[in-house]
Amino acid sequence: MTGKTSSAGRRSDTRVSRNIKLTLEYEGTNYHGWQTQAGSGQATVQETLEKAFATLAHGPVKVHGSSRTDAGVHALAYVCNVVTDSPIPPAAWAPALNHILPEDIRVLSSGEAAPDFHARFSAIGKIYSYRILNRRAPSALHRHAAWHVNLRLNMRAMRSAAEHLIGRHDFSAFRAAGCSASSPVRTLKAVIIRKSADMIEIRLEADSFLQYMVRNITGTLVEVGLGRFQPGDVKQMLLSCDRRTAGRTAPAHGLYLVRVLYTE
Amino acid sequence: MTGKTSSAGRRSDTRVSRNIKLTLEYEGTNYHGWQTQAGSGQATVQETLEKAFATLAHGPVKVHGSSRTDAGVHALAYVCNVVTDSPIPPAAWAPALNHILPEDIRVLSSGEAAPDFHARFSAIGKIYSYRILNRRAPSALHRHAAWHVNLRLNMRAMRSAAEHLIGRHDFSAFRAAGCSASSPVRTLKAVIIRKSADMIEIRLEADSFLQYMVRNITGTLVEVGLGRFQPGDVKQMLLSCDRRTAGRTAPAHGLYLVRVLYTE
């Protein structure tokens, strides 16, 4: 598959390296998150995708992800990129990969990106969504798709609390103990809380997120909704920069990476 | 647990038989439908529920279902009933059963029904919903929850076609070959076709449904939406009473039993 091709002058004896951008939808239930951890022995989305890619590219590849999603977290449009000299046309990667990937990972689209595009470092923002099933009865159909909260949540209090979080802040109070980000400062651009029938969606947009930031904010907002905190307490939590002042961590299975934002 | 009780005069040396009505939500993916077939060796919802019930009631029970859902079909509010002399209070069955049932079957509620209530024979109507994901890309998250149709569907044509089906008709053209119902005549009270983002929902209400009736109607409406049939062709299919004139059978995994209607 190497060698001369007559189709383009720029190809001669060498393969042409291309930067392929992929957009994925995945159900995180059966994966230990996006990122491969050496020796963990548990399947990750990255590892599963790299194996499928390597099968098609006839050699090892490195897939660059946009986000380390936690174990059990889902994605509606996860972006990653791969530099490869495979002759497979950029748009053909999506159907080819879907042919060999497990059904809980689907490639929605594939295409060629600029040589300097990097799924993580080129991102200027991300949108996450958290789903809460707020009703008495547990659910069979949403058991991996939404957090079941069986006591009635006060939507007005949750929305009022969320207002305090919007803007550029030190989010140390909502950060995981093991978070490796160099700065705890992030700009939370929007928090939208919607309810449709029994399903509550909390949608957050930020320049980027700290580890567990969405799950810690969600857990805290739920405790506000239950009356355990007042909306104004959330402002004090932010100012304290102390994780111990904020609420619990919402479970992973209600969380979705919705979109990764790029300038292009 | 038998014997004298002092709480009610009507109890003496015998147990009191109660008719317990249960409402279930289930994901049908891992079940060979509702109804147990002797010797099939495949798990059914009925069999799974009867085992759980028997564990709590300390003896065999017969669960009466409202509908034979097909393999892979889901339910949002399936109704069934059980006559038992167990002393477990009617409302306590739901949490007790959820404790031992697999997570893809949840009991939403339980309560005492009139002695002559029968989940199937007392039903006066049913509502089913069929979900179609209408977009180019396949989905990881909806793979067991909606039929993926990757060509654009003409909603107006589908709605126009559905109009012909409403009313009291011989639905032989939309009936499975093996359907055991004595009459092919049913009253289809409503067909509502809605679209939200890429998800189309077809909701049907009838006095009762023939085997595969919803899936055959849906498959036919999708073929209308693709332009393979004209809306008026559906009227001719009905009049023909011939299954071969109508469209394909939509797959089971997009179908949901939404509600069972009773006079009470």
Side-chain angles (χ1 to χ4, degrees):
Chain A
M1 308 222 314
T2 51
K4 293 185 184 183
T5 69
S6 57
S7 61
R10 63 194 174 115
R11 292 194 191 176
S12 59
D13 281 350
T14 56
R15 293 185 180 205
V16 177
S17 269
R18 276 168 164 158
N19 193 5
I20 309 294
K21 177 185 172 186
L22 303 163
T23 305
L24 314 178
E25 178 178 316
Y26 59 79
E27 183 188 336
T29 310
N30 295 322
Y31 297 96
H32 201 69
W34 163 264
Q35 183 144 314
T36 304
Q37 288 132 6
S40 76
Q42 288 176 290
T44 67
V45 180
Q46 183 183 31
E47 173 195 8
T48 306
L49 189 62
E50 285 181 348
K51 274 186 195 162
F53 217 102
T55 301
L56 296 169
H58 301 294
V61 291
K62 168 77 180 164
V63 176
H64 303 285
S66 49
S67 175
R68 301 181 188 184
T69 58
D70 303 327
V73 171
H74 318 296
L76 300 178
Y78 187 97
V79 177
C80 55
N81 74 295
V82 180
V83 176
T84 177
D85 57 4
S86 163
I88 295 175
W93 283 103
L97 287 166
N98 284 337
H99 207 70
I100 51 178
L101 282 168
E103 285 195 322
D104 50 9
I105 303 176
R106 293 290 89 180
V107 184
L108 303 183
S109 65
S110 59
E112 191 164 5
D116 63 346
F117 173 81
H118 186 287
R120 182 171 164 211
F121 301 122
S122 303
I124 57 164
K126 279 175 196 141
I127 298 174
Y128 277 92
S129 172
Y130 198 98
R131 295 187 196 166
I132 298 164
L133 182 66
N134 191 209
R135 70 177 195 192
R136 180 59 71 94
S139 169
L141 287 158
H142 297 290
R143 68 192 191 281
H144 299 308
W147 180 19
H148 176 223
V149 175
N150 65 358
L151 297 173
R152 190 146 192 96
L153 294 171
N154 180 336
M155 299 287 291
R156 187 182 296 188
M158 290 169 71
R159 289 194 180 105
S160 174
E163 288 293 320
H164 296 294
L165 297 169
I166 293 169
R168 188 163 177 82
H169 301 290
D170 180 325
F171 280 96
S172 291
F174 298 94
R175 174 187 195 174
C179 177
S180 61
S182 54
S183 164
V185 176
R186 291 292 183 275
T187 302
L188 189 61
K189 293 174 184 171
V191 182
I192 296 167
I193 306 180
R194 285 186 281 226
K195 189 167 185 181
S196 172
D198 293 328
M199 193 66 79
I200 295 170
E201 185 198 355
I202 303 177
R203 185 177 274 244
L204 300 100
E205 178 181 344
D207 50 353
S208 75
F209 288 88
L210 300 164
Q211 194 184 3
Y212 289 2
M213 183 170 151
V214 178
R215 293 167 58 190
N216 289 340
I217 286 175
T218 299
T220 302
L221 292 178
V222 163
E223 294 199 64
V224 170
L226 294 171
R228 292 182 199 153
F229 294 123
Q230 294 304 307
D233 293 343
V234 171
K235 190 174 184 181
Q236 299 307 316
M237 293 172 193
L238 258 186
L239 293 172
S240 77
C241 296
D242 181 352
R243 175 72 190 93
R244 292 167 300 177
T245 66
R248 61 172 290 191
T249 305
H253 68 272
L255 183 58
Y256 297 75
L257 174 66
V258 173
R259 206 182 306 165
V260 187
L261 306 170
Y262 299 97
T263 46
E264 63 197 32
Chain B
M1 308 220 316
T2 50
K4 292 185 183 181
T5 70
S6 57
S7 62
R10 61 193 177 120
R11 292 194 191 176
S12 59
D13 281 349
T14 56
R15 294 186 180 203
V16 177
S17 269
R18 277 168 163 156
N19 193 5
I20 310 293
K21 177 184 173 187
L22 303 163
T23 306
L24 314 178
E25 178 178 316
Y26 59 79
E27 184 188 334
T29 311
N30 295 320
Y31 297 95
H32 202 69
W34 163 263
Q35 183 144 314
T36 303
Q37 289 133 4
S40 77
Q42 289 176 291
T44 68
V45 180
Q46 183 183 31
E47 175 195 7
T48 306
L49 189 63
E50 285 181 348
K51 276 186 195 162
F53 218 101
T55 301
L56 296 169
H58 301 294
V61 293
K62 169 76 181 166
V63 176
H64 303 284
S66 50
S67 175
R68 302 181 187 184
T69 58
D70 304 327
V73 170
H74 318 296
L76 300 177
Y78 187 96
V79 177
C80 55
N81 72 296
V82 180
V83 177
T84 177
D85 58 3
S86 163
I88 295 175
W93 283 102
L97 287 166
N98 284 337
H99 207 70
I100 51 177
L101 282 168
E103 284 196 322
D104 50 8
I105 303 175
R106 294 289 89 182
V107 183
L108 304 183
S109 64
S110 59
E112 190 164 7
D116 63 345
F117 173 81
H118 186 288
R120 182 171 165 210
F121 301 121
S122 303
I124 56 164
K126 280 176 195 139
I127 298 174
Y128 277 93
S129 171
Y130 198 98
R131 294 187 196 165
I132 298 164
L133 182 66
N134 191 211
R135 69 177 195 192
R136 180 60 71 92
S139 170
L141 288 159
H142 298 289
R143 69 191 190 282
H144 299 308
W147 181 18
H148 177 223
V149 175
N150 66 359
L151 297 172
R152 190 145 193 98
L153 294 172
N154 180 335
M155 299 287 292
R156 186 181 299 189
M158 290 168 70
R159 289 195 181 105
S160 174
E163 289 293 320
H164 296 294
L165 297 169
I166 293 170
R168 187 162 176 81
H169 301 290
D170 180 326
F171 280 97
S172 291
F174 299 94
R175 174 187 196 174
C179 178
S180 61
S182 55
S183 163
V185 177
R186 292 292 184 274
T187 303
L188 189 61
K189 293 175 185 172
V191 182
I192 296 167
I193 306 181
R194 283 187 282 226
K195 188 168 185 181
S196 171
D198 294 328
M199 193 66 79
I200 295 170
E201 183 197 358
I202 303 177
R203 184 178 276 244
L204 301 99
E205 178 180 346
D207 51 352
S208 75
F209 289 89
L210 299 163
Q211 193 185 5
Y212 289 4
M213 183 169 151
V214 178
R215 293 168 58 188
N216 289 340
I217 287 176
T218 298
T220 302
L221 292 178
V222 162
E223 294 201 63
V224 169
L226 294 171
R228 292 181 199 155
F229 293 124
Q230 295 304 306
D233 293 342
V234 171
K235 189 174 184 180
Q236 299 306 314
M237 293 171 193
L238 257 186
L239 293 172
S240 78
C241 297
D242 182 351
R243 175 70 191 95
R244 293 167 299 178
T245 66
R248 60 171 291 190
T249 305
H253 69 272
L255 184 57
Y256 297 75
L257 173 65
V258 173
R259 206 181 306 165
V260 187
L261 305 169
Y262 298 97
T263 47
E264 63 195 35

